[in-house]
Amino acid sequence: MLNTTGKATFITVTVTLDKNEVPSFTYSNETGNVEVSEESTITYILDDNTNKGLKFTGAAFNTPFDGIVDAVTVSSDGKIVQLIDLDKVVGKTTFQFILSNTDNTLMLISKDPQVINIKV
């Protein structure tokens, strides 16, 4: 798990397809999880190895009202998602990235990384 303290954190999200075209997500920091101990911006950068024209469209949270993550932004080209964490609430939240593709109108969701706010 990556530990960040008031700095920008960058994580690459690589998406590949197996021979049956089942997507697989891997993260440059192994799990995609981030521990936060003060205000931080967590940046996820898409590395699309599917040839399906994937783009981030957002992030969906299991508990969107818990106050762990305060805002989400997506770049206009769909290659970057940023989570803004003001670190006002101790706890953890899970989410999934939502991605569009150029093959059809169906959406793809990722496995669920976590943002964990810790008290220092």
Side-chain angles (χ1 to χ4, degrees):
M1 182 175 315
L2 195 59
N3 184 354
T4 183
T5 305
K7 297 181 181 177
T9 300
F10 297 90
I11 300 170
T12 300
V13 180
T14 302
V15 186
T16 56
L17 295 175
D18 68 12
K19 65 181 178 178
N20 296 316
E21 294 204 334
V22 175
S24 175
F25 288 80
T26 57
Y27 300 95
S28 59
N29 72 334
E30 296 182 29
T31 63
N33 296 351
V34 178
E35 251 182 28
V36 175
S37 58
E38 67 183 79
E39 293 181 11
S40 298
T41 300
I42 306 160
T43 301
Y44 290 91
I45 303 164
L46 180 61
D47 178 19
D48 177 14
N49 291 324
T50 68
N51 293 318
K52 301 291 184 185
L54 296 181
K55 291 184 178 183
F56 285 127
T57 62
F61 289 77
N62 294 326
T63 54
F65 310 111
D66 59 13
I68 304 296
V69 171
D70 299 286
V72 175
T73 62
V74 179
S75 65
S76 60
D77 65 359
K79 299 297 179 189
I80 296 172
V81 169
Q82 289 187 311
L83 306 183
I84 311 304
D85 183 350
L86 301 177
D87 197 36
K88 294 183 178 182
V89 177
V90 174
K92 68 181 175 180
T93 193
T94 58
F95 61 95
Q96 293 176 290
F97 295 113
I98 305 167
L99 299 96
S100 64
N101 71 83
T102 55
D103 269 16
N104 57 46
T105 59
L106 303 178
M107 298 294 204
L108 173 64
I109 57 174
S110 68
K111 57 184 182 180
D112 55 342
Q114 298 180 340
V115 173
I116 304 166
N117 287 357
I118 57 174
K119 189 173 183 175
V120 291

